[in-house]
PDB file of all heavy atoms in Angstrom:
ATOM      1  N   ASP A  57     119.524  81.455  88.225  1.00 85.00           N
ATOM      2  CA  ASP A  57     118.334  81.349  89.095  1.00 85.00           C
ATOM      3  C   ASP A  57     118.130  79.859  89.500  1.00 85.00           C
ATOM      4  O   ASP A  57     118.359  78.939  88.727  1.00 85.00           O
ATOM      5  CB  ASP A  57     117.102  81.830  88.358  1.00 85.00           C
ATOM      6  CG  ASP A  57     115.859  81.900  89.220  1.00 85.00           C
ATOM      7  OD1 ASP A  57     115.726  82.829  89.979  1.00 85.00           O
ATOM      8  OD2 ASP A  57     115.054  80.925  89.112  1.00 85.00           O
ATOM      9  N   CYS A  66     118.990  92.213  79.666  1.00 94.00           N
ATOM     10  CA  CYS A  66     119.493  93.243  78.765  1.00 94.00           C
ATOM     11  C   CYS A  66     120.145  94.331  79.581  1.00 94.00           C
ATOM     12  O   CYS A  66     119.990  94.404  80.807  1.00 94.00           O
ATOM     13  CB  CYS A  66     118.350  93.747  77.858  1.00 94.00           C
ATOM     14  SG  CYS A  66     117.197  94.840  78.761  1.00 94.00           S
ATOM     15  N   ARG A  82     116.282  91.617  98.554  1.00 92.00           N
ATOM     16  CA  ARG A  82     117.034  90.449  99.004  1.00 92.00           C
ATOM     17  C   ARG A  82     116.761  90.133 100.454  1.00 92.00           C
ATOM     18  O   ARG A  82     116.920  89.007 100.943  1.00 92.00           O
ATOM     19  CB  ARG A  82     118.549  90.658  98.794  1.00 92.00           C
ATOM     20  CG  ARG A  82     118.973  90.683  97.330  1.00 92.00           C
ATOM     21  CD  ARG A  82     120.443  90.903  97.226  1.00 92.00           C
ATOM     22  NE  ARG A  82     120.945  90.880  95.853  1.00 92.00           N
ATOM     23  CZ  ARG A  82     121.225  89.799  95.156  1.00 92.00           C
ATOM     24  NH1 ARG A  82     121.046  88.627  95.656  1.00 92.00           N
ATOM     25  NH2 ARG A  82     121.636  89.937  93.888  1.00 92.00           N
ATOM     26  N   GLN A  86     109.682  86.181 101.020  1.00 85.00           N
ATOM     27  CA  GLN A  86     108.480  86.050 100.186  1.00 85.00           C
ATOM     28  C   GLN A  86     107.301  85.528 101.017  1.00 85.00           C
ATOM     29  O   GLN A  86     106.171  85.990 100.813  1.00 85.00           O
ATOM     30  CB  GLN A  86     108.779  85.040  99.045  1.00 85.00           C
ATOM     31  CG  GLN A  86     107.597  84.722  98.155  1.00 85.00           C
ATOM     32  CD  GLN A  86     107.267  85.819  97.183  1.00 85.00           C
ATOM     33  OE1 GLN A  86     108.029  86.742  97.031  1.00 85.00           O
ATOM     34  NE2 GLN A  86     106.147  85.681  96.496  1.00 85.00           N
ATOM     35  N   PHE A 102     113.277  89.269  96.089  1.00 93.00           N
ATOM     36  CA  PHE A 102     114.208  89.450  94.969  1.00 93.00           C
ATOM     37  C   PHE A 102     114.129  88.259  94.036  1.00 93.00           C
ATOM     38  O   PHE A 102     113.994  88.419  92.810  1.00 93.00           O
ATOM     39  CB  PHE A 102     115.641  89.633  95.484  1.00 93.00           C
ATOM     40  CG  PHE A 102     116.658  89.879  94.438  1.00 93.00           C
ATOM     41  CD1 PHE A 102     116.888  91.169  93.986  1.00 93.00           C
ATOM     42  CD2 PHE A 102     117.388  88.845  93.915  1.00 93.00           C
ATOM     43  CE1 PHE A 102     117.820  91.386  92.969  1.00 93.00           C
ATOM     44  CE2 PHE A 102     118.342  89.044  92.943  1.00 93.00           C
ATOM     45  CZ  PHE A 102     118.559  90.344  92.432  1.00 93.00           C
ATOM     46  N   LEU A 111     109.545  85.254  83.386  1.00 95.00           N
ATOM     47  CA  LEU A 111     108.343  84.606  82.857  1.00 95.00           C
ATOM     48  C   LEU A 111     107.503  85.623  82.055  1.00 95.00           C
ATOM     49  O   LEU A 111     106.949  85.257  81.000  1.00 95.00           O
ATOM     50  CB  LEU A 111     107.537  84.011  83.962  1.00 95.00           C
ATOM     51  CG  LEU A 111     108.189  82.815  84.693  1.00 95.00           C
ATOM     52  CD1 LEU A 111     107.292  82.324  85.815  1.00 95.00           C
ATOM     53  CD2 LEU A 111     108.434  81.667  83.698  1.00 95.00           C
ATOM     54  N   ALA A 137     108.417  93.307  81.072  1.00 97.00           N
ATOM     55  CA  ALA A 137     109.409  92.614  81.859  1.00 97.00           C
ATOM     56  C   ALA A 137     109.899  93.510  83.008  1.00 97.00           C
ATOM     57  O   ALA A 137     110.106  93.037  84.147  1.00 97.00           O
ATOM     58  CB  ALA A 137     110.582  92.212  80.972  1.00 97.00           C
ATOM     59  N   VAL A 161      98.141  98.840 113.252  1.00 74.00           N
ATOM     60  CA  VAL A 161      98.720 100.081 113.778  1.00 74.00           C
ATOM     61  C   VAL A 161      97.744 101.243 113.575  1.00 74.00           C
ATOM     62  O   VAL A 161      97.549 102.072 114.487  1.00 74.00           O
ATOM     63  CB  VAL A 161     100.059 100.363 113.163  1.00 74.00           C
ATOM     64  CG1 VAL A 161     100.561 101.763 113.480  1.00 74.00           C
ATOM     65  CG2 VAL A 161     101.115  99.343 113.633  1.00 74.00           C
ATOM     66  N   SER A 163      94.566 101.140 113.336  1.00 74.00           N
ATOM     67  CA  SER A 163      93.456 101.010 114.215  1.00 74.00           C
ATOM     68  C   SER A 163      93.803 101.454 115.643  1.00 74.00           C
ATOM     69  O   SER A 163      93.051 102.139 116.302  1.00 74.00           O
ATOM     70  CB  SER A 163      92.984  99.549 114.238  1.00 74.00           C
ATOM     71  OG  SER A 163      91.934  99.359 115.127  1.00 74.00           O
ATOM     72  N   LYS A 171      99.454 107.394 121.663  1.00 80.00           N
ATOM     73  CA  LYS A 171     100.247 106.906 120.544  1.00 80.00           C
ATOM     74  C   LYS A 171     100.222 107.839 119.357  1.00 80.00           C
ATOM     75  O   LYS A 171     101.206 108.079 118.680  1.00 80.00           O
ATOM     76  CB  LYS A 171      99.751 105.521 120.090  1.00 80.00           C
ATOM     77  CG  LYS A 171     100.254 104.364 120.926  1.00 80.00           C
ATOM     78  CD  LYS A 171     100.034 103.033 120.256  1.00 80.00           C
ATOM     79  CE  LYS A 171     100.645 101.909 121.074  1.00 80.00           C
ATOM     80  NZ  LYS A 171     100.490 100.586 120.400  1.00 80.00           N
ATOM     81  N   GLU A 188     101.236  97.768  96.267  1.00 80.00           N
ATOM     82  CA  GLU A 188     101.222  98.145  94.860  1.00 80.00           C
ATOM     83  C   GLU A 188     101.504  99.639  94.685  1.00 80.00           C
ATOM     84  O   GLU A 188     102.343 100.044  93.899  1.00 80.00           O
ATOM     85  CB  GLU A 188      99.876  97.796  94.211  1.00 80.00           C
ATOM     86  CG  GLU A 188      99.686  96.300  93.987  1.00 80.00           C
ATOM     87  CD  GLU A 188      98.894  95.661  95.127  1.00 80.00           C
ATOM     88  OE1 GLU A 188      98.745  96.355  96.206  1.00 80.00           O
ATOM     89  OE2 GLU A 188      98.497  94.490  94.995  1.00 80.00           O
ATOM     90  N   VAL A 195     109.338 102.891  91.827  1.00 97.00           N
ATOM     91  CA  VAL A 195     109.751 103.085  90.407  1.00 97.00           C
ATOM     92  C   VAL A 195     110.353 104.409  90.222  1.00 97.00           C
ATOM     93  O   VAL A 195     111.364 104.623  89.558  1.00 97.00           O
ATOM     94  CB  VAL A 195     108.559 102.861  89.460  1.00 97.00           C
ATOM     95  CG1 VAL A 195     108.919 103.236  88.029  1.00 97.00           C
ATOM     96  CG2 VAL A 195     108.043 101.408  89.513  1.00 97.00           C
ATOM     97  N   PRO A 216     111.932 111.378  75.646  1.00 96.00           N
ATOM     98  CA  PRO A 216     112.734 110.726  76.698  1.00 96.00           C
ATOM     99  C   PRO A 216     112.444 111.331  78.086  1.00 96.00           C
ATOM    100  O   PRO A 216     111.898 112.434  78.203  1.00 96.00           O
ATOM    101  CB  PRO A 216     114.169 110.997  76.296  1.00 96.00           C
ATOM    102  CG  PRO A 216     114.089 111.184  74.792  1.00 96.00           C
ATOM    103  CD  PRO A 216     112.779 111.851  74.538  1.00 96.00           C
ATOM    104  N   ALA A 238     119.857  99.382  66.513  1.00 52.00           N
ATOM    105  CA  ALA A 238     120.929  99.600  67.500  1.00 52.00           C
ATOM    106  C   ALA A 238     121.458 101.032  67.453  1.00 52.00           C
ATOM    107  O   ALA A 238     122.167 101.450  68.334  1.00 52.00           O
ATOM    108  CB  ALA A 238     122.055  98.646  67.271  1.00 52.00           C
ATOM    109  N   PRO A 265      97.056 107.878  89.546  1.00 92.00           N
ATOM    110  CA  PRO A 265      96.516 109.091  90.146  1.00 92.00           C
ATOM    111  C   PRO A 265      97.173 110.371  89.599  1.00 92.00           C
ATOM    112  O   PRO A 265      96.512 111.399  89.381  1.00 92.00           O
ATOM    113  CB  PRO A 265      96.755 108.929  91.643  1.00 92.00           C
ATOM    114  CG  PRO A 265      96.837 107.422  91.827  1.00 92.00           C
ATOM    115  CD  PRO A 265      97.420 106.877  90.571  1.00 92.00           C
TER     116      PRO A 265
END
Side-chain angles (χ1 to χ4, degrees):
D57 185 81
C66 72
R82 291 181 179 276
Q86 174 79 7
F102 182 85
L111 293 177
V161 168
S163 178
K171 279 195 174 182
E188 288 94 349
V195 173

